[in-house]
Amino acid sequence: MRIHVRAAALVSVGILTITTAPALAANQPSAVQPAPCRTSNLALNWTSGGTAKPGGTHTEEQVNAFVAVKNTGTGACTLRGYPKVTLKMGTETQGEQTETFFPQTSKKPKTVKLNSGATARFTVTFLSGKESDDNIIDPGVAAITPPGNTKAKELRWLWGQVQKQEAATHPGNYVSPVYR
């Protein structure tokens, strides 16, 4: 009789383990993130709210402009980090005719999930230029590469002349991480 009771107890424990395990797994949060956003599925535009003025202020003040990043793809995607922003004159892509902005490291990046049609943004902060200054660039476009990408999209630069800061000890031209 004792042998019979032990066998029944083992079977009972086995059934509880089998029926309880799926219930626990179903209650666990999903850790699956959408794929990173691709440049081809993003629309970039200047958006309101910054202190930069169209045409520039020519006062050597630090100003900012906001860029909206919209997911135009059919599914959700994620962005994390700093966009690469390079100002350039015409078709110039290197040398004295460009200015690349530094990451604003005082702001730490977070993963931003963008559902289809959703928008995030980032801030471009820069020192406006003065025509009498030799160390300025009068850009035509901003080439913007979203975080995690190698291809850029170009936006017409609206904000006038910019002081070059690539060689500065404490540069005044930088870009924030993408945020919501």
Side-chain angles (χ1 to χ4, degrees):
M1 201 68 143
R2 287 185 189 172
I3 295 173
H4 217 53
V5 172
R6 283 186 183 169
L10 288 174
V11 170
S12 177
V13 170
I15 291 172
L16 285 176
T17 303
I18 291 171
T19 57
T20 314
L24 290 174
N27 292 329
Q28 298 297 321
S30 174
V32 177
Q33 286 284 341
C37 298
R38 305 292 9 130
T39 301
S40 59
N41 290 332
L42 297 173
L44 280 65
N45 293 295
W46 299 111
T47 189
S48 62
T51 56
K53 304 282 186 237
T57 58
H58 309 295
T59 60
E60 298 180 340
E61 292 177 350
Q62 191 174 50
V63 294
N64 57 50
F66 298 117
V67 177
V69 182
K70 182 177 182 179
N71 178 2
T72 59
T74 57
C77 63
T78 59
L79 288 170
R80 180 181 175 87
Y82 303 90
K84 179 180 178 184
V85 176
T86 301
L87 302 182
K88 57 185 187 174
M89 295 177 58
T91 59
E92 295 290 327
T93 57
Q94 54 184 270
E96 293 183 24
Q97 301 303 312
T98 66
E99 173 72 3
T100 299
F101 287 48
F102 293 92
Q104 185 180 8
T105 56
S106 63
K107 294 191 177 186
K108 301 299 177 206
K110 296 179 181 173
T111 301
V112 176
K113 179 182 172 187
L114 287 179
N115 291 323
S116 181
T119 302
R121 63 193 304 180
F122 62 91
T123 306
V124 177
T125 302
F126 60 95
L127 291 167
S128 63
K130 202 173 192 179
E131 288 186 31
S132 61
D133 191 354
D134 290 337
N135 200 27
I136 62 168
I137 181 173
D138 193 2
V141 297
I144 300 171
T145 306
N149 286 270
T150 58
K151 293 186 180 187
K153 289 203 172 200
E154 291 187 349
L155 290 179
R156 190 176 71 123
W157 184 255
L158 306 174
W159 317 113
Q161 297 174 336
V162 175
Q163 289 185 35
K164 290 181 70 61
Q165 296 286 295
E166 288 177 335
T169 304
H170 300 287
N173 297 343
Y174 47 85
V175 61
S176 77
V178 175
Y179 59 91
R180 291 278 270 170

